[in-house]
Amino acid sequence: MSGMPPDSGRDPGLAVCLSSSFFGYYAHLGVLSAMEEAGLRPGRIAGASAGAMAGALWAAGLRDAALEAVIYDFHFLRAFFDLGAFYRWPGILTGLVGAGLLSGVRMRRYLGRVLGAKRIEDLQSPRLEIAVANITKGCSEVRTRGPLNDFVIASCAMPVLFQPQRIDGEEFLDGGVVNETPFDHWLEDPLIHTIVVHRIRHTSGMKGLPWQTPGGVMGECHRVVSGELLRRRINDAEISGKKLIFLETEHDHPGLLHGRKSRGFFAAGAETFRKSPLARPPARTGREIPLSPAERAS
């Protein structure tokens, strides 16, 4: 793994929130890459689902060729799936046996080879925070400690598609179930002055049946709930006085087989940042010649 060493150029008060989105880690990483090119290095990253995956790869130090070797690797995409899904399908379809099609075992092995056995708290430049739904306690959590790979997979574990992920005696599912944009835990943090929230909007639907399906209806319900919760978070942010900046990337729905499109999704995320006010240098005001001692004293 090629990594970026911790540097002093990070702004501890700049925090980036990466939303949940179906295979959205390409665009998220595109945004983070463009931010770093512009000299903006956040001190904190929080992510849900695909945002957690992107945040983990970035906070672990993967950049450039090392990052591309992972996210464009066919084996990385394939690691989300396992052959056991074919045997679990009848039980899931009838509702008689099983809680999810995919186990997450292959992705855990893959991340172990790429990231090693890191813990979330090992990543400090930037610090990483992962949103998960704790179904044992019945609450949403933002984890700052614990086994990195396990919590990344738990945050990506979409209900029914994935089995609940068991970690230290508790079960977890997709962080985006309740907390699609995990930034509200920063609103009372005096060290945070600016929060950048990156979201992804699909300009086309996932190709499938031409009529509504239970899964599609559930997805629409989740979209409505997430939108309402986001409006409340935005209101809370205004009350807190934090500077909140939204970036939104638009691209086609990835679908399950999106290999050839993945580089375009990354580029779309990078372009989102480059077109944003954050990428533009502030207008110069006043003179650039330093004040003389007499002027400074006056």
Side-chain angles (χ1 to χ4, degrees), residues 85-105:
F86 293 102
Y87 302 102
R88 300 183 194 108
W89 175 249
I92 299 297
L93 188 63
T94 58
L96 297 176
V97 181
L101 285 173
L102 306 174
S103 66
V105 170

Side-chain angles (χ1 to χ4, degrees), residues 15 35 42 50 60 81 104 110 118 133 138 142 151 168 174 181 195 206 219 254 281-282 293:
M35 287 183 70
F81 307 96
Y110 187 95
K118 290 183 174 63
V142 176
F151 275 109
D168 297 333
D174 195 327
T181 48
I195 300 171
M206 185 173 178

Side-chain angles (χ1 to χ4, degrees), residues 274-291:
R274 294 185 183 120
K275 289 182 177 179
S276 74
L278 284 169
R280 301 168 195 159
R284 294 181 178 180
T285 57
R287 70 183 195 181
E288 295 182 19
I289 303 173
L291 294 173

Side-chain angles (χ1 to χ4, degrees), residues 142-256:
V142 176
R143 288 293 183 121
T144 59
R145 304 181 64 83
L148 175 64
N149 299 339
D150 289 349
F151 275 109
V152 168
I153 295 166
S155 189
C156 294
M158 185 185 301
V160 182
L161 183 61
F162 276 87
Q163 298 173 353
Q165 301 296 299
R166 193 167 186 82
I167 307 171
D168 297 333
E170 297 178 335
E171 291 189 322
F172 300 87
L173 281 172
D174 195 327
V177 168
V178 178
N179 204 351
E180 182 192 28
T181 48
F183 66 81
D184 45 320
H185 61 292
W186 289 329
L187 299 182
E188 296 183 3
D189 189 332
L191 299 178
I192 300 295
H193 55 73
T194 302
I195 300 171
V196 178
V197 180
H198 181 233
R199 303 180 75 217
I200 299 165
R201 185 169 72 86
H202 296 143
T203 54
S204 63
M206 185 173 178
K207 294 181 180 179
L209 299 172
W211 55 80
Q212 282 189 327
T213 63
V217 172
M218 287 175 61
E220 286 302 304
C221 291
H222 175 257
R223 184 179 63 83
V224 171
V225 172
S226 296
E228 181 60 31
L229 290 174
L230 178 59
R231 283 190 285 274
R232 297 188 181 191
R233 291 187 183 110
I234 292 173
N235 183 64
D236 291 342
E238 291 173 351
I239 294 173
S240 74
K242 302 290 186 186
K243 184 177 182 181
L244 192 61
I245 300 172
F246 277 89
L247 304 179
E248 184 175 84
T249 295
E250 295 183 354
H251 64 60
D252 291 343
H253 196 292
L256 294 175

Side-chain angles (χ1 to χ4, degrees), residues 18-21 24-32 50-51 54 198-200:
L18 305 175
S19 74
S20 64
S21 178
Y25 48 79
Y26 302 109
H28 285 321
L29 289 165
V31 166
L32 291 172
H198 181 233
R199 303 180 75 217
I200 299 165

Side-chain angles (χ1 to χ4, degrees), residues 55-72:
L57 297 175
W58 191 262
L62 290 175
R63 301 289 188 277
D64 304 323
L67 181 62
E68 291 185 5
V70 173
I71 63 175
Y72 301 137

